[in-house]
Amino acid sequence: MFKVYDIRLTNRLILGTAQYPSPEHLRQAVHRSQAEVVTVSLRREAAGPGSGQRFWELIQSMGVRVLPNTAGCRTVQEAITTAQMAREIFSTPWVKLEVIGDDATLQPDVFGLVEAARSLCEDGFQVFPYTTEDLVVAERLLAAGCQVLMPWGAPIGTGRGLNNVYGLRQLRAHFPEIPLIVDAGIGAPSHAAHALELGFDAVLVNTAVAKAGDPPAMAEAFAQAAQAGRLAFEAGLMEAHDLATPSTPEFGTPFSPWSGHA
């Protein structure tokens, strides 16, 4: 269990809701993963008249907490306006804040991100900033009022996993009490397990589930991987060594399960 903005969550997988083959695939993915939080974008493309309303009704029927996002926003004002619209539509102070600075990598504009985060926090929003693993940026976001950070693992939709393990490890070490959720670039359940093994609190996954051959099964796989990764972190992972260490001692009395029996 972990807490974000005084809300306790037990599932360490957050699901995105875009790109699924059908609404039923999305419904089943949420059900099989038992996700408690899903992200929803106001910029989601509508397939036809009224589809936006039908999509919102689907989300409401799942009984999950909604984390609206400002996906696609490239300026501070655009992100703020989108967040304000989301608060009205979804009746939540939560917002996943994205201010994109580069079209090729979709890397966050961290300068605009901090500015937008400060404005939204002052306006009563509970901001989940999509950021890099940079420690200084993290400090600025926390000072702006954010109480959770969402560093990328790799560029959005690439499925490359954790590109900068060293940087992510340092981020976790510097902010041991801050909820950290790896967002973007997660492509396989093993990537999710890796993030949780590093001590991160959760992962956000969209493309790797939605584009899978069987999205509901993949969503369940990610949920189980996140749970396993967290359990491994809490249990205490062994340290890596350069030289081999025998698991069976070379000296001493050999043990036989049949010793002492006729």
Side-chain angles (χ1 to χ4, degrees):
M1 182 177 295
F2 68 109
K3 186 168 68 173
V4 289
Y5 290 109
D6 295 324
I7 299 298
R8 294 187 180 276
L9 301 172
T10 57
N11 194 309
R12 296 179 183 274
L13 173 66
I14 298 173
L15 276 182
T17 57
Q19 305 184 71
Y20 285 82
S22 72
E24 186 58 25
H25 280 91
L26 171 58
R27 185 195 302 275
Q28 288 299 319
V30 172
H31 173 71
R32 288 186 59 174
S33 68
Q34 298 185 339
E36 298 169 278
V37 180
V38 299
T39 60
V40 176
S41 172
L42 285 184
R43 292 171 172 265
R44 182 177 180 274
E45 294 184 8
S51 63
Q53 181 61 34
R54 292 194 299 272
F55 176 76
W56 176 225
E57 290 171 354
L58 171 64
I59 297 299
Q60 288 179 307
S61 72
M62 296 181 196
V64 293
R65 185 173 294 275
V66 174
L67 175 58
N69 69 49
T70 63
C73 292
R74 285 170 168 76
T75 69
V76 171
Q77 189 54 55
E78 187 180 18
I80 290 173
T81 300
T82 302
Q84 291 169 338
M85 292 172 58
R87 180 166 60 180
E88 294 298 319
I89 293 172
F90 300 114
S91 301
T92 177
W94 280 16
V95 63
K96 180 190 169 211
L97 180 62
E98 296 183 24
V99 183
I100 300 302
D102 180 75
D103 289 338
T105 64
L106 300 181
Q107 179 171 325
D109 171 359
V110 295
F111 304 101
L113 181 68
V114 171
E115 182 181 346
R118 180 177 295 108
S119 178
L120 290 172
C121 288
E122 290 174 353
D123 192 26
F125 282 88
Q126 295 176 339
V127 179
F128 294 65
Y130 164 60
T131 183
T132 65
E133 66 276 18
D134 187 281
L135 296 177
V136 177
V137 174
E139 289 279 13
R140 297 292 188 272
L141 288 168
L142 295 174
C146 299
Q147 296 180 27
V148 59
L149 300 173
M150 301 185 74
W152 66 348
I156 295 171
T158 61
R160 298 183 62 86
L162 309 184
N163 272 356
N164 184 1
V165 174
Y166 173 80
L168 290 171
R169 198 187 299 275
Q170 291 300 305
L171 188 68
R172 178 72 286 175
H174 275 71
F175 305 104
E177 304 302 323
I178 300 298
L180 300 179
I181 301 169
V182 173
D183 175 22
I186 300 295
S190 57
H191 299 158
H194 191 189
L196 273 292
E197 287 169 1
L198 293 177
F200 283 78
D201 296 280
V203 291
L204 193 160
V205 183
N206 190 164
T207 306
V209 171
K211 294 295 188 179
D214 186 341
M218 186 61 76
E220 183 177 350
F222 267 103
Q224 292 182 6
Q227 181 181 11
R230 182 64 189 187
L231 184 60
F233 171 74
E234 292 175 347
L237 293 164
M238 68 172 287
E239 294 184 8
H241 301 280
D242 292 331
L243 300 177
T245 303
S247 56
T248 302
E250 298 179 7
F251 303 100
T253 303
F255 167 76
S256 171
W258 297 282
S259 61
H261 294 275

